[in-house]
Amino acid sequence: MKNVLNNNFPILRKKKVSEDPHDNLLMIENSNFLQEKAKKVIIDELQKYGIKISYEFQFPQYISNEDGVYINLATKVGPILGQYIKPSTYVNEIKIKQACEVRYDPIDFRYVFACAQKFSTYLKHNQGKIIQCLQSYECLDVAVDEIKRSVDLLDNLNQNSEYFKAQVSCIVSFLPLNQPLYSSVCFGCIMSLMAKTAIIRPPTVMKSLFENLTIVSKFNNFFPNLIISYDDKNEFIQKNRSVADVVVFTGKYYNAQKVKKQFKENVLFIFNGAGHNPIVVSKDANIDKAIDSICRVCLQNQGQDCAAPNSILVHSKISNLVVNKCIQRLDLIKNCIGDYANYNNIIGPNTDCSHALKIARVLYENRNFLQYGGEINPATGLIKPTVLVKPLLEGGNFSELFAPVIILQPYETDEDLKMYFEHPNYKSHAMYVTLFGTSKYVSTLIEKGLHTRDNILRDTDLHVEERGFKPYGGLGIEASCIQFYNKIIPGATLPQRDIYTYLIGPSIKRTKGISISH
């Protein structure tokens, strides 16, 4: 069985085997093109010898795949022998059961939590310069909120200690257009504590911000294996598609699917999208409390937040009162709109100036429902707070606005809510529902398979409830889901939990332990 693979893959060149035993692992599972073909060749040969064999079992160390990419078998094909070996080792016994196992290096959570605590302390003590950096991209209140959420996650990471058992090799994250610091902590810093390498890619428009944020936040002082890439998206994918064990993608489902297709079939793909997140204000609701939440989630980061509701469903008996109170609240902040640099402003320009033109089209199409605002400056991207009052009978809003536009939709009876929740456009983006007051219909959404108990919020809102160590998302496939091999599992995501559930946990169970490099 000597050089079994030599006849199946071209050898590019021979190199001296590394002195580091870890570099000489033989890994199958992490190599997409080798997985099936190499397994078949090896298993077929072993069967000829009745599984147990005394023979020299030697691999070519360097080969190329179908794309011409150089592959080092010592780090990519593995542990066929159930132990860490050098390619020329003599083998007395090979176990088929171990041929496809991926072994992960163990994690000491005490170290993980210490790293998190140190970075939390740094953020608290350096808020001023971090806020100054973030204010080139967002308003003061948003920057402060980002730091607060980041610190909360880091300080409470022990809530997730059960998931930090072992490291995967590489985690790749595509960051969203909003919350640069918080998303970096969630999908970069925390991920680097679960992997040998974590790579984050911010959107191209955020490059300048991230170059400065990297300096003031000192990410690499606390997370040395965290890499920030500014590569073009396609180049970034090409570089990492064969090495990533996990991909975390935040954005639109359509774009996520295009990216997913370019990675290995066995990559764990964690998707975070957008949901409808409607707010229901029933006739017995605490109206002032409801107004607080409506303004908070609709205006946060000038509406550029996945927690923002596409529609606010208000019972017709109180709709006029809700509209008036909402407008009164907006009048109080009309002098707090403008440039990010002004510390008093809580509404700034949209991150993408061209988005102002899209909102202008939305307002034009709904001009008959305009009650307040409607002012847009396409040159600066500034969209002033706007209120539309559109009866639910005229059609629900299922489009993400990503702007400070509040759409109030009066409905007549509790049963009328089905016009929104049972509309064909609802299910795929089902995420959270916020209910103020009582509603028998909303309680049926669980049995209808649209929501779970965890994503129906009562007399509070998503901005208050969201915390980085808790799962986030809903049952809509375009709201949040896990994709692994050919399966799509809709539901709330929490990367550290999901990595443990789909990769680390099963490996520990199969091998009854974790392999350590030695």
Side-chain angles (χ1 to χ4, degrees):
M1 206 167 77
K2 185 176 182 179
N3 293 328
V4 168
L5 297 184
N6 286 12
N7 296 325
N8 294 281
F9 301 99
I11 302 176
L12 293 179
R13 62 187 187 278
K14 290 286 185 180
K15 276 189 178 182
K16 181 180 178 182
V17 176
S18 169
E19 297 300 323
D20 182 356
H22 179 66
D23 289 339
N24 301 314
L25 294 178
L26 299 181
M27 299 287 257
I28 282 185
E29 189 86 3
N30 287 341
S31 183
N32 189 39
F33 73 95
L34 284 175
Q35 187 175 349
E36 296 303 325
K37 192 169 185 178
K39 246 192 281 186
K40 186 176 186 305
V41 170
I42 295 165
I43 291 174
D44 285 351
E45 287 292 329
L46 288 173
Q47 287 175 341
K48 293 178 184 178
Y49 297 92
I51 299 180
K52 293 186 178 182
I53 177 174
S54 296
Y55 209 87
E56 182 180 1
F57 196 78
Q58 187 176 4
F59 291 90
Q61 189 175 1
Y62 285 84
I63 62 173
S64 66
N65 66 8
E66 297 170 352
D67 297 324
V69 177
Y70 288 22
I71 301 294
N72 181 347
L73 287 182
T75 58
K76 299 295 181 186
V77 186
I80 302 229
L81 309 177
Q83 58 181 305
Y84 295 109
I85 63 166
K86 293 184 178 180
S88 60
T89 299
Y90 278 80
V91 180
N92 295 320
E93 182 178 291
I94 301 174
K95 297 178 180 178
I96 294 291
K97 183 178 180 181
Q98 293 179 321
C100 304
E101 292 292 347
V102 175
R103 304 279 182 99
Y104 299 111
D105 288 345
I107 292 175
D108 184 343
F109 185 73
R110 292 171 297 181
Y111 168 77
V112 167
F113 197 46
C115 289
Q117 292 282 283
K118 288 177 182 178
F119 190 50
S120 172
T121 299
Y122 177 81
L123 293 180
K124 294 171 191 173
H125 291 168
N126 294 273
Q127 288 190 61
K129 59 183 180 182
I130 295 172
I131 287 172
Q132 187 176 8
C133 172
L134 291 173
Q135 271 199 278
S136 66
Y137 193 77
E138 60 194 24
C139 292
L140 172 64
D141 66 316
V142 181
V144 170
D145 183 70
E146 280 207 70
I147 295 174
K148 178 181 176 183
R149 290 183 185 279
S150 298
V151 166
D152 181 59
L153 168 56
L154 294 164
D155 285 349
N156 290 283
L157 196 59
N158 57 335
Q159 299 287 325
N160 296 152
S161 61
E162 63 193 288
Y163 309 132
F164 288 82
K165 299 298 183 184
Q167 287 182 322
V168 296
S169 178
C170 179
I171 299 174
V172 170
S173 297
F174 294 79
L175 300 187
L177 276 166
N178 59 339
Q179 298 183 307
L181 175 65
Y182 185 46
S183 63
S184 295
V185 172
C186 291
F187 308 133
C189 301
I190 302 302
M191 294 298 94
S192 75
L193 298 172
M194 296 195 78
K196 291 169 185 165
T197 304
I199 310 170
I200 58 175
R201 180 189 179 275
T204 303
V205 296
M206 299 172 80
K207 180 183 178 183
S208 177
L209 166 68
F210 261 86
E211 288 174 338
N212 293 327
L213 183 60
T214 300
I215 294 171
V216 299
S217 67
K218 297 187 178 180
F219 287 133
N220 288 121
N221 285 20
F222 302 92
F223 310 99
N225 57 330
L226 174 61
I227 298 170
I228 300 175
S229 173
Y230 303 110
D231 288 337
D232 168 81
K233 183 187 286 187
N234 290 331
E235 183 181 356
F236 179 74
I237 293 171
Q238 291 300 316
K239 283 184 179 180
N240 297 294
R241 66 178 184 175
S242 64
V243 298
D245 298 309
V246 180
V247 175
V248 181
F249 186 97
T250 303
K252 294 183 178 179
Y253 186 75
Y254 172 76
N255 293 331
Q257 294 312 293
K258 290 196 294 184
V259 169
K260 169 70 173 68
K261 290 177 182 178
Q262 298 181 69
F263 281 87
K264 301 178 298 182
E265 181 190 27
N266 65 336
V267 76
L268 177 64
F269 195 86
I270 302 172
F271 170 69
N272 302 299
H276 296 306
N277 302 323
I279 295 177
V280 177
V281 186
S282 69
K283 61 183 178 182
D284 60 347
N286 181 323
I287 295 177
D288 289 332
K289 196 170 186 178
I291 294 295
D292 286 342
S293 283
I294 290 169
C295 291
R296 180 163 47 238
V297 296
C298 290
L299 303 182
Q300 172 72 12
N301 199 24
Q302 51 275 346
Q304 298 176 118
D305 196 300
C306 60
N310 291 343
S311 179
I312 296 147
L313 307 166
V314 186
H315 197 284
S316 58
K317 286 190 175 181
I318 58 168
S319 60
N320 288 338
L321 185 56
V322 170
V323 171
N324 292 334
K325 282 183 173 285
C326 190
I327 291 173
Q328 288 171 11
R329 188 68 62 87
L330 295 180
D331 276 337
L332 294 176
I333 63 165
K334 62 184 179 183
N335 294 322
C336 302
I337 301 169
D339 193 80
Y340 298 137
N342 187 328
Y343 275 36
N344 294 318
N345 288 341
I346 60 174
I347 301 291
N350 194 283
T351 301
D352 177 7
C353 282
S354 66
H355 188 67
L357 296 175
K358 297 177 184 177
I359 296 302
R361 169 58 61 180
V362 171
L363 297 188
Y364 175 76
E365 292 172 351
N366 290 277
R367 60 192 180 279
N368 293 334
F369 307 114
L370 181 64
Q371 291 288 315
Y372 180 88
E375 298 177 54
I376 297 175
N377 187 334
T380 64
L382 185 64
I383 304 167
K384 291 190 176 182
T386 297
V387 177
L388 300 176
V389 180
K390 181 179 182 180
L392 187 55
L393 281 170
E394 298 279 353
N397 178 55
F398 299 98
S399 300
E400 183 183 25
L401 298 174
F402 222 56
V405 178
I406 300 172
I407 301 183
L408 299 170
Q409 301 209 260
Y411 65 93
E412 295 297 324
T413 68
D414 192 51
E415 193 63 24
D416 287 345
L417 290 172
K418 69 181 180 183
M419 289 189 287
Y420 192 83
F421 291 99
E422 296 178 37
H423 190 282
N425 291 341
Y426 185 78
K427 186 174 182 178
S428 63
H429 287 274
M431 199 172 190
Y432 288 90
V433 180
T434 296
L435 172 63
F436 288 93
T438 58
S439 167
K440 289 182 179 180
Y441 178 81
V442 169
S443 298
T444 69
L445 295 176
I446 297 173
E447 62 190 58
K448 293 180 187 296
L450 294 172
H451 290 278
T452 67
R453 293 186 184 280
D454 290 335
N455 52 50
I456 297 180
L457 309 179
R458 298 175 187 274
D459 295 315
T460 183
D461 61 68
L462 188 50
H463 189 74
V464 172
E465 293 298 312
E466 190 274 331
R467 300 181 75 180
F469 56 87
K470 293 181 178 181
Y472 184 86
L475 295 179
I477 195 172
E478 297 188 44
S480 56
C481 66
I482 299 292
Q483 297 187 44
F484 193 41
Y485 285 97
N486 60 346
K487 292 183 179 180
I488 299 179
I489 306 101
T493 65
L494 178 64
Q496 47 268 43
R497 177 202 63 184
D498 301 332
I499 292 168
Y500 175 81
T501 300
Y502 291 95
L503 297 180
I504 303 298
S507 177
I508 293 174
K509 185 176 180 180
R510 287 194 302 267
T511 60
K512 297 182 181 178
I514 302 170
S515 177
I516 304 175
S517 300
H518 59 278

